[in-house]
Amino acid sequence: MLNKYLERLVILVDEYRKQELSQFCGPDNKEAQWNDLIWYHIDPNTGRKVRFLCGKLGLKGKGSAGNRPECALRYPYDQLIKVWIIEVNNKPVSAQSRQTLVLAARRLFSKMQGELYSQTPEGLVEFARSNTHPEYINHFFEFCAENGLMPRIRVPNRMDDRDRTGHAQFDARVEKLPDVEAIMALGAIHQEIFRPVSQSGSVSMDVQIKIMDAVTSTAGLLGLASPSRIAAEVPLVPKQKLKKYSEGGKNPVHYLDWPGSKGFKDNHNHILAVLADEVDRAVNFFCVACEPARILCRFYENPKETLVALLGDFKVSSDRRKHLQFDKTPNLFVLGYALGFYGVNASVRVALPGRLVPKIPPQNFRFRSCFYEKPIHALDHEDRIAISATVNRGSSGLSQLMGYIDLVGNAVQPLRSVAKPVFSIGELQDNWIRYFTTRLIPEFPYSYATGEGKVRLADALFCILGAHFYGLGKTGSSGRPLAKSFYNVVPLNAIASKITQGFRGRIGREHIFEKYGFAGLNVKPHSLRHFGNTLAELSEIPREIITAWSGRKDKEQTETYLHRSHQEQADRVRAVLGKPEHDRREIRVVAREAISQTTNLPASITSSGICTQEINLNPCDFLNDFVSQCFMCSAACHIAGDPKAIQLFEKDHEVQIARLGQLTTDRRLHNSSAMQRWFIIHSRNTYVLASLHNLMKTLTTGTVIRYSPNPSEFHITDMSTKKTIKHQCLIPDFESKLRGLLAGQYDDERHSSAPELESLLASFGLSEGAE
């Protein structure tokens, strides 16, 4: 007899295995199977593919790495990890957070001894202590406990013994600032890298710029010129020139079109005038240096474009121009010739027209006699070149075309649709584009940085070729075959990681400070944001301007980034509090004074009413799923007749109704218990919001309304008489509504899932309901 926990696990897996996996694909780009060791989730709205490993921890590489049978977890946890992948992809969190949630469970399955249900609380707490973010594994424990797979356990999210005194906190905040020596070294490094670069972005003859060193130093420059989120925003900056704006003959303001992050919209981001010339030179350099990669992206989007349309303003050298037909559609390798990937007189061995190439080793004389040299600029779609599954020697020209000295078998495999000794240029081009857009950058033509921000690669300022990013190598294999090729364009999240590593280094690899003679120094990329904010405040720039410049919505968040001494902070109490003078005629101001005098409670004005929590001593930690953040908080008081709050709740209610309406049409709702629970809870809360909105519009102006969640009722206080009455909130049965919705959704899917099949059956008198 099975253990009760294992029995529930088997039943749970069976339920999930009945679901369609239309939003997941396996390593072969077909619908995911339960024995696949790699799953890709395809976002139904954006088409973005997110990769999830389903095997043991410790596997490195990308693409098909980790897809070997020996990588699999033992049963039944090889199935449970896939159940968890399905569940986390129903959560409203970023792709990176979903991958981290799955990684936490994989780490547990890879390290634990015995069964999940038999793990001791002490052992699980110790396991959580070894993780940087214990809260991720807590989500998995909660899911398992809810489904009866293990006893309920709760691991503290944060386990530390740090000094929490005021001085210790201030010291910790000061440590977030970079060393001045590191800032000065970063400036010297940038000057060294860009010494041969002119202000227009051109590079002196016979000088080779290390492109990734230039990217790292430019990211640091932009982080100093504007307090940006380097990893999340800098890789997404579009191709552009530095812009200026001035009024009435005053000093110009320099800015760049800048991507927003964390919900902040895209904007014109102010660049410090003192660094404007350096930013201008760096931006101009990348506009020129990265244009070949942008041209390739345009070709991958539309391979039928003519050469002149693809190249645009790109300057082709005169000794190459005479070999090219600009009004014709080029193949991939002729385009590479125009972009300078090969020598002016470079050639490759192609098969003789009409000659049958035998299936014998490429080193064989009979095999080599079937080929002749042809200039790369003259290649056409019908020309055939040899592809070898072993080390490419002799007549095999693929390695030369792709930018390698040698190619080993697993690097050739993505370009081999069938096993044959030669392939036409047209076949190779089609196979490469398919491999690039489905495996190397599945979200193409877009690419993502570290968050949810994305940009069209053909428009990105930092559009980098694989050969420049990884460096040219002797062989092409590894977890990402052909990643070092001329024709690969690097995803922006890889550039973001490279920037971070460039500032701080990684085990076995030197960082940019060590490369340029500044050993012992390093910088956390985010510390530049702290530096910029603190410098701005020391320059007496208002808090509101610092907040907007930093890409934040709330100026209260800016306080975390300001690192002045206690004495300096005391001298600017009004700036620290950042509270503007309120209009004394506002109804919530009058209500705040009345509440404070009547109840002897602290009272602070919020966007939707009054907060009675002592925020200075006990900061707010209340969270909800609404635009109006104070709604449903027990410390929140709402004032009847408050026009701004009424308008806020009205708009919030419209947003939540739209969210619920969108969920009702989501095909995942029928199979996701998490989405169903959210629908019921959020429907109830949205109904409470509508009730509150109605009370605020109908009750006497100045009446204080406070919500109590258990039981669901409103406490209504007349401030003139000081009497309080209770108003019960009668919440409808949303569970019944959900059941009806699911039944209707299931019928709709059943009757409309295959209309062609139903029509065919009807023609034979076999349709549903036929006699």
Side-chain angles (χ1 to χ4, degrees):
M1 180 178 177
L2 283 174
N3 176 280
K4 65 178 181 179
Y5 295 111
L6 290 178
E7 187 175 5
R8 291 170 188 153
L9 175 54
V10 171
I11 294 173
L12 180 69
V13 170
D14 287 342
E15 290 178 355
Y16 275 80
R17 287 179 70 100
K18 295 175 184 177
Q19 299 182 19
E20 291 186 5
L21 298 176
S22 55
Q23 284 186 237
F24 293 90
C25 68
D28 56 359
N29 244 16
K30 298 179 181 178
E31 184 172 306
Q33 302 298 317
W34 282 84
N35 58 348
D36 289 334
L37 294 182
I38 299 176
W39 276 13
Y40 292 89
H41 176 258
I42 305 171
D43 190 297
N45 298 316
T46 65
R48 181 183 185 182
K49 291 176 71 174
V50 180
R51 179 173 176 264
F52 293 92
L53 288 176
C54 309
K56 297 176 182 176
L57 190 71
L59 306 173
K60 295 184 179 180
K62 298 184 178 180
S64 60
N67 198 34
R68 300 185 301 274
E70 60 268 24
C71 301
L73 293 165
R74 61 188 175 91
Y75 180 84
Y77 304 108
D78 60 335
Q79 306 295 294
L80 180 56
I81 192 66
K82 296 182 175 72
V83 171
W84 183 232
I85 290 173
I86 295 173
E87 195 66 23
V88 300
N89 278 286
N90 291 325
K91 293 179 179 291
V93 296
S94 68
Q96 186 175 7
S97 295
R98 282 179 273 144
Q99 288 177 312
T100 308
L101 284 166
V102 174
L103 177 63
R106 284 180 55 227
R107 179 179 287 114
L108 174 64
F109 293 155
S110 301
K111 293 186 176 181
M112 74 179 186
Q113 301 293 323
E115 304 298 337
L116 177 62
Y117 67 84
S118 65
Q119 304 301 307
T120 64
E122 295 78 10
L124 293 177
V125 169
E126 184 62 30
F127 167 78
R129 285 183 180 274
S130 65
N131 292 277
T132 306
H133 298 286
E135 60 270 21
Y136 286 111
I137 196 62
N138 261 335
H139 286 284
F140 178 68
F141 290 157
E142 187 67 24
F143 171 77
C144 290
E146 287 180 358
N147 289 277
L149 309 184
M150 62 180 291
R152 188 172 296 276
I153 181 175
R154 183 71 182 175
V155 177
N157 283 349
R158 297 292 177 187
M159 295 170 284
D160 60 58
D161 53 359
R162 289 176 289 175
D163 186 351
R164 294 295 187 174
T165 63
H167 289 288
Q169 289 195 36
F170 177 74
D171 292 341
R173 289 173 60 185
V174 169
E175 287 178 1
K176 294 181 180 179
L177 289 175
D179 291 336
V180 175
E181 292 83 356
I183 298 294
M184 297 174 64
L186 194 58
I189 292 169
H190 184 80
Q191 288 296 326
E192 178 66 23
I193 293 172
F194 280 84
R195 192 182 306 280
V197 180
S198 69
Q199 197 63 33
S200 64
S202 61
V203 183
S204 303
M205 295 293 291
D206 302 324
V207 176
Q208 189 72 31
I209 300 291
K210 293 182 179 178
I211 192 75
M212 286 314 300
D213 286 356
V215 169
T216 302
S217 70
T218 300
L221 172 66
L222 291 173
L224 291 170
S226 176
S228 57
R229 301 179 181 96
I230 290 180
E233 296 174 355
V234 168
L236 300 178
V237 173
K239 176 189 174 184
Q240 61 190 295
K241 300 290 185 180
L242 183 66
K243 304 173 183 65
K244 298 180 182 179
Y245 175 81
S246 63
E247 291 182 353
K250 296 181 180 179
N251 292 334
V253 173
H254 301 83
Y255 69 93
L256 290 171
D257 292 332
W258 199 265
S261 63
K262 292 191 175 181
F264 193 83
K265 62 183 181 180
D266 296 352
N267 64 102
H268 299 322
N269 200 23
H270 179 203
I271 300 298
L272 291 177
V274 70
L275 296 176
D277 287 344
E278 286 303 322
V279 171
D280 182 53
R281 177 167 64 156
V283 166
N284 291 339
F285 167 76
F286 285 105
C287 285
V288 176
C290 295
E291 190 60 18
R294 288 188 283 266
I295 292 171
L296 274 179
C297 291
R298 295 200 288 270
F299 177 79
Y300 295 150
E301 289 184 41
N302 184 8
K304 302 299 182 183
E305 284 279 13
T306 62
L307 184 58
V308 66
L310 289 168
L311 293 177
D313 297 331
F314 183 79
K315 304 299 182 184
V316 179
S317 61
S318 57
D319 51 355
R320 295 176 187 272
R321 293 183 65 88
K322 60 185 179 182
H323 296 303
L324 299 169
Q325 295 177 299
F326 289 87
D327 58 341
K328 302 291 185 182
T329 299
N331 60 59
L332 178 63
F333 305 107
V334 171
L335 177 62
Y337 176 85
L339 296 177
F341 295 168
Y342 313 103
V344 174
N345 300 314
S347 61
V348 65
R349 293 184 66 80
V350 300
L352 292 165
R355 177 72 68 88
L356 179 63
V357 178
K359 292 184 178 180
I360 57 179
Q363 295 85 0
N364 187 284
F365 173 76
R366 285 177 55 204
F367 186 92
R368 294 199 303 270
S369 65
C370 298
F371 294 84
Y372 75 102
E373 293 284 340
K374 185 173 184 178
I376 291 178
H377 63 74
L379 291 175
D380 58 41
H381 279 70
E382 287 70 35
D383 285 325
R384 299 171 297 159
I385 68 168
I387 296 181
S388 173
T390 59
V391 177
N392 285 268
R393 299 191 183 97
S395 299
S396 185
L398 179 65
S399 57
Q400 180 184 355
L401 288 178
M402 300 305 292
Y404 287 89
I405 297 174
D406 283 325
L407 283 174
V408 298
N410 67 331
V412 176
Q413 198 58 38
L415 303 183
R416 295 172 64 94
S417 53
V418 294
K420 58 181 182 178
V422 293
F423 281 80
S424 71
I425 293 296
E427 288 177 300
L428 286 176
Q429 174 180 302
D430 293 342
N431 290 349
W432 167 257
I433 294 177
R434 181 172 58 253
Y435 171 62
F436 175 80
T437 56
T438 58
R439 296 287 296 277
L440 295 181
I441 305 186
E443 61 269 24
F444 186 82
Y446 296 95
S447 187
Y448 292 80
T450 58
E452 294 302 294
K454 65 179 180 179
V455 67
R456 180 173 171 254
L457 263 180
D459 297 330
L461 180 66
F462 299 105
C463 193
I464 310 294
L465 296 173
H468 294 155
F469 184 83
Y470 298 104
L472 293 174
K474 291 186 177 181
T475 59
S477 55
S478 74
R480 301 185 74 210
L482 300 173
K484 299 179 182 179
S485 171
F486 296 134
Y487 298 101
N488 179 36
V489 180
V490 181
L492 297 181
N493 62 345
I495 292 176
S497 298
K498 199 79 167 182
I499 289 172
T500 302
Q501 295 169 13
F503 283 128
R504 306 203 67 193
R506 202 172 75 178
I507 296 176
R509 297 185 183 181
E510 59 182 0
H511 50 67
I512 196 168
F513 292 96
E514 293 172 335
K515 285 183 182 179
Y516 290 86
F518 294 94
L521 297 177
N522 63 67
V523 164
K524 295 179 181 179
H526 204 64
S527 68
L528 300 181
R529 183 166 163 86
H530 288 260
F531 181 80
N533 276 255
T534 301
L535 188 63
E537 204 214 11
L538 289 171
S539 302
E540 305 296 328
I541 295 175
R543 190 69 54 86
E544 291 83 358
I545 294 178
I546 298 175
T547 300
W549 187 31
S550 303
R552 301 188 191 96
K553 292 184 177 182
D554 187 356
K555 65 182 178 183
E556 302 299 329
Q557 299 170 353
T558 302
E559 172 64 21
T560 306
Y561 288 81
L562 303 179
H563 307 285
R564 305 187 68 170
S565 69
H566 294 303
Q567 183 60 44
E568 290 172 321
Q569 296 286 17
D571 291 340
R572 297 188 65 191
V573 170
R574 292 179 62 83
V576 171
L577 293 177
K579 296 293 183 184
E581 291 294 329
H582 289 278
D583 186 351
R584 303 271 311 170
R585 294 170 296 177
E586 287 185 3
I587 189 171
R588 64 181 70 174
V589 175
V590 178
R592 181 192 64 179
E593 294 176 353
I595 291 172
S596 181
Q597 294 173 4
T598 303
T599 64
N600 197 28
L601 290 173
S604 304
I605 293 177
T606 68
S607 61
S608 58
I610 306 297
C611 177
T612 58
Q613 181 171 306
E614 183 61 79
I615 297 179
N616 289 333
L617 299 177
N618 186 20
C620 177
D621 59 358
F622 178 78
L623 296 174
N624 64 20
D625 202 15
F626 290 79
V627 176
S628 43
Q629 285 300 309
C630 295
F631 170 59
M632 299 188 78
C633 175
S634 59
C637 294
H638 308 289
I639 315 303
D642 185 351
K644 293 183 179 179
I646 290 173
Q647 184 180 20
L648 173 63
F649 285 142
E650 185 174 9
K651 292 181 178 179
D652 197 357
H653 185 260
E654 293 175 359
V655 170
Q656 306 314 323
I657 290 296
R659 292 176 68 192
L660 289 168
Q662 186 179 23
L663 182 63
T664 60
T665 60
D666 195 320
R667 60 183 179 181
R668 298 174 295 173
L669 179 61
H670 191 273
N671 297 315
S672 173
S673 59
M675 295 177 74
Q676 294 171 13
R677 289 195 302 271
W678 184 88
F679 177 85
I680 294 172
I681 294 172
H682 202 67
S683 295
R684 291 172 177 168
N685 293 343
T686 303
Y687 181 85
V688 173
L689 178 62
S691 301
L692 173 61
H693 179 252
N694 183 60
L695 289 173
M696 292 180 66
K697 291 197 301 182
T698 57
L699 292 176
T700 304
T701 299
T703 301
V704 175
I705 308 168
R706 185 177 236 162
Y707 178 69
S708 176
N710 194 14
S712 183
E713 60 186 15
F714 294 100
H715 294 200
I716 300 173
T717 303
D718 187 339
M719 295 306 294
S720 60
T721 63
K722 308 300 185 292
K723 291 183 178 181
T724 299
I725 62 173
K726 296 180 181 180
H727 178 83
Q728 193 69 32
C729 187
L730 302 177
I731 298 177
D733 186 3
F734 287 105
E735 294 183 358
S736 297
K737 180 179 179 180
L738 175 63
R739 287 193 294 270
L741 179 65
L742 294 178
Q745 186 184 71
Y746 180 79
D747 290 341
D748 290 343
E749 291 176 355
R750 181 183 62 191
H751 290 300
S752 63
S753 59
E756 297 85 356
L757 178 60
E758 292 178 2
S759 177
L760 178 63
L761 292 174
S763 66
F764 289 94
L766 299 175
S767 61
E768 184 175 350
E771 294 295 327

